[in-house]
Structure formats: structure tokens, C-alpha cells
Amino acid sequence: MENWRKSARFLWLCNFIIVAAMTMILPFLPLYLEELGVTGSKALSNWTGAVFSAAFLSGAIMAPIWGIFADKYGQKANLIRAGIGMGILTFSMAFATGPWMLLALRFFMGFFSGFITVSFSYLSRITPKEHTGSALGFLQTGGISGGIIGPLIGGALSDLFGFRAVFAVTGVSILMTLMLVILFIPKDEPMKAVKGKPGTFLDVLRNKQLLILFIATFLLQAAMLSTNSMMTIFVKTFVHNPENLALLAGLAASILGIATIIGSPYLGKLGDRIGHIKMLPVVMLLSGLLFFPQLWTDNIYELYIWRFLQGLILGGVWPAIQTLIHKKTPDDIQGRAFGVTASCRFLGNLTGPIIGGWISGSFMTAYVFGFAGALLVIGSGLVKWGVHKN
């Protein structure tokens, strides 16, 4: 088996473990904050949002710096760096004595995050160009699978052993991936400067096509996080059985993820065959348009159908963006380019829930889906007219 195929399989497993571990804490984060002394519904909502978003803010700040690190030392070293920092700090959250300590640990964890984006960068670097899309599409399914199963495991473990134990398990699980990286992921060589001149972030930012792909990355994450963060509130508007509310809202997220797992590898291969430049604006447009029927739905099963159809198409968006960023970036600034990509993802993750919450509170929760659809339609147009073969 070719080395890149073997690496892709191990990175799939790493991404599955990392995302499953990180999403274990989502079901009980507000309850843990209550245990740490936060009282009142408004204070609890504010603290939950702050703790959840803290890692995204610091991650956006640090991602470009880790991009420089990757260009100098290679992406395998970057993977190890991310795993060590995330694992130790997450484990430490089990010993938080108050909400401020938990907030600080989440913020500092963001300085070391980025494992998922780095894994995409590493795989795109070692994979033959004709297989890049299919390889990244396959890798994407690992993180999505982990995101589906993680909350289920976290909820079960918290019921059995308590909240603090889940943070400890999460930290140990992340550290376990380091052994997979160290033992089974080959070392990649640092990129050499072209003609002896070291690459800079200005070289990245001067590339107009890369800038458009960075914007597309931000729009994608903001669209997805704005709707995901409001899903429970949206489902509550037409489902009147509070006992099943969490389950029904969770299924809406899971169905999207399952469909993405199904569609992602096929769309990755299609992009390799017809060209990701042709495919990306189409799948981005269709993904955006499929948000609008969700805006008008008032039936949970109808919502599931639209989410499933959207997931089939959505699976092609992120691998296509990553593939094009790789192809449009000179070798000596690959790390810097993927560092900026990570910053855009973090900023989208941070901005999406904030805007989604504002729209939901000021107007109607359903309008969040219209907002998300408009973002992807705009992104599709930018890519269509701004990214070309040369």
C-alpha cells in the first residue's frame, strides 16, 4: 500500500479520536458550569458561550504562528505539538475549581489547537495531486464520525462517572493519538524556500485566489455554526414535547453528519476527475440553497429530509477548498497558508454562533437558516468568479 494511503487511514483514526474526545464535553458543559458555581439562566448562557468560544478566539490568533512552525519543522511536528497541548490542557479541566479557571484553560487550549486543520495540510502535502480530493474527502469522514459519536459517549460517561471524569478521559484520549502520530505517520520534510528567499505571510495575502478561498472557509464555518448552535431552539418552535427535544435536535445534527460521511468521498473523487475549481462553486451553491427550505419547515421529519440532502452535497465543500488552497500555494509557504485557513475556520466558528444568537433573539430563529444560506450563495459566487485555473 502506498505510504499516503496508509497515512490517510491513521490520520482518519486520529481525527475520529480527537473530535470524538472534544465533543464528549458538549452535552454537559452547562451542567459542569453549574457545578462550578454558576447560577441563573442568563449567567449560565453567558458563561457557556464564553467557555465554548474561548478556544476559537485564541486559536485564530495562534494559527498563523503555527503555520510558520510547520514551514520550518514540518507538519508532523505540528501534529505532535497540537496533540500535547490540547491533551494536557483538556485533562487539566477536570481539576477546575471555578468558571474562571475553566475559561482560562479553554482559552489557553486554543493556543495549541488546530490538529484537524494540520492533518488536512499534512495529507494534502504527501498525497499525489490526482488523488488529493478523494484523500481529503475520506479524511473528513473521520472527524464527522467522531463528532456524531462523541456527544453520545460523553453523555453516558458523565452519567456514570461524573463530569470531571469525562475531561480526564478526553485529555487521555487526545494524548493517545500522539502515539499513532509518532509511530505510524512518516516525517515530512520542511519546505525549502524558493531561490533561497524565505516565504512570508505577505506572499500568502498577495495571492487574490487564496484570499477568496480563505473567505469561503470563513463563510462555510460561520454558516454551519450559526445554524448548529440554534438547532435546539429552532426545533423547539414546532416540537412541543420537551422530553424529546434534545434527542430530536441531536438527530438533526447527526443526520447531516451521516449524509456528509456518505457524500464526501464520492464528491472528492468527482473533484479529482472534473476539477475542484468547477465543482466547488456548484456544491457550495447547492448547499446554500438547501438551507432555505429548512427556514420554512414546521415538521421535524421534513427537516430531517432537507438536512440529509444538504449533507450529501456539503461533504464536497471542505475537501475542495482544502485541495484548492494546496494547489494554489507555493511549497515554501504551505504551512503559512494553512495557518491562515485555520484562523478563518476559528473565526467562523466564533462568529457564526454570535450572529445566529442575535438573529434568533432579535427576529425569528428560522431566519438563521436564511442567513446561512445567503453566506454560502455569496461564497459560491466569489469562488466562481475569483478562482481560476491559472
Side-chain angles (χ1 to χ4, degrees):
M1 183 181 291
E2 298 173 65
N3 285 336
W4 71 267
R5 296 184 186 275
K6 180 179 179 181
S7 296
R9 293 182 183 277
F10 280 110
L11 284 173
W12 187 99
L13 181 58
C14 289
N15 280 6
F16 174 84
I17 295 172
I18 290 283
V19 176
M22 294 307 300
T23 55
M24 281 184 195
I25 67 173
L26 295 181
F28 64 81
L29 182 58
L31 301 178
Y32 187 49
L33 284 165
E34 283 185 322
E35 186 178 287
L36 293 176
V38 178
T39 58
S41 58
K42 183 176 181 179
L44 186 60
S45 296
N46 291 336
W47 272 105
T48 300
V51 170
F52 183 75
S53 302
F56 297 141
L57 176 60
S58 52
I61 295 170
M62 284 298 295
I65 297 173
W66 292 126
I68 298 173
F69 178 89
D71 284 334
K72 189 173 182 179
Y73 298 105
Q75 290 289 20
K76 179 176 180 177
N78 214 6
L79 287 169
I80 295 172
R81 178 275 309 166
I84 292 174
M86 292 170 63
I88 292 174
L89 286 166
T90 302
F91 185 86
S92 300
M93 293 175 198
F95 306 97
T97 57
W100 282 106
M101 183 175 178
L102 183 63
L103 178 66
L105 288 170
R106 283 281 296 178
F107 182 76
F108 285 118
M109 189 190 74
F111 283 113
F112 295 94
S113 60
F115 188 98
I116 303 301
T117 304
V118 174
S119 68
F120 275 85
S121 177
Y122 174 91
L123 188 59
S124 66
R125 182 178 286 188
I126 67 169
T127 303
K129 289 186 176 181
E130 63 272 18
H131 297 295
T132 303
S134 57
L136 297 184
F138 167 74
L139 181 58
Q140 179 175 241
T141 64
I144 295 171
S145 300
I148 292 172
I149 198 171
L152 301 177
I153 297 174
L157 288 177
S158 63
D159 287 340
L160 291 172
F161 304 108
F163 306 137
R164 295 180 184 275
V166 181
F167 280 103
V169 170
T170 299
V172 171
S173 299
I174 294 172
L175 291 172
M176 284 172 54
T177 62
L178 291 176
M179 298 307 299
L180 295 175
V181 172
I182 292 170
L183 295 176
F184 300 110
I185 302 298
K187 186 180 185 301
D188 60 315
E189 294 299 324
M191 293 300 183
K192 295 180 180 179
V194 179
K195 298 180 181 180
K197 180 183 177 182
T200 67
F201 279 110
L202 283 177
D203 296 323
V204 176
L205 299 177
R206 287 191 187 111
N207 189 320
K208 293 182 180 179
Q209 295 187 71
L210 282 179
L211 287 178
I212 290 173
L213 292 170
F214 296 149
I215 294 171
T217 298
F218 170 81
L219 295 177
L220 173 64
Q221 294 302 117
M224 298 312 300
L225 267 292
S226 65
T227 52
N228 288 349
S229 62
M230 293 294 110
M231 187 58 67
T232 300
I233 297 174
F234 177 63
V235 172
K236 188 178 180 181
T237 61
F238 55 84
V239 172
H240 304 293
N241 185 354
E243 293 182 0
N244 294 331
L245 181 61
L247 174 62
L248 295 174
L251 281 173
S254 297
I255 286 172
L256 181 77
I258 291 169
T260 302
I261 291 172
I262 296 171
S264 186
Y266 293 102
L267 289 173
K269 292 178 182 178
L270 177 64
D272 288 334
R273 187 166 68 248
I274 69 172
H276 293 279
I277 289 178
K278 292 181 179 179
M279 189 185 76
L280 177 57
V282 175
V283 294
M284 206 166 186
L285 175 63
L286 293 176
S287 298
L289 293 177
L290 284 168
F291 267 121
F292 291 102
Q294 298 173 57
L295 189 162
W296 292 297
T297 188
D298 58 0
N299 181 284
I300 190 65
Y301 300 106
E302 182 182 335
L303 177 66
Y304 291 161
I305 292 172
W306 290 119
R307 298 285 285 177
F308 184 82
L309 292 174
Q310 185 179 40
L312 291 175
I313 304 299
L314 191 64
V317 177
W318 178 240
I321 291 175
Q322 291 284 110
T323 300
L324 288 173
I325 289 173
H326 171 65
K327 291 181 177 180
K328 297 294 182 181
T329 307
D331 288 345
D332 60 325
I333 55 173
Q334 286 277 332
R336 287 169 171 80
F338 277 95
V340 177
T341 305
S343 285
C344 292
R345 289 193 71 176
F346 286 130
L347 288 173
N349 292 343
L350 177 65
T351 305
I354 293 173
I355 297 178
W358 175 76
I359 293 174
S360 176
S362 302
F363 304 100
M364 291 176 56
T365 303
Y367 290 172
V368 178
F369 291 89
F371 165 74
L375 290 185
L376 291 187
V377 171
I378 292 170
S380 171
L382 289 174
V383 171
K384 174 66 177 178
W385 301 111
V387 181
H388 45 79
K389 288 185 178 181
N390 297 326

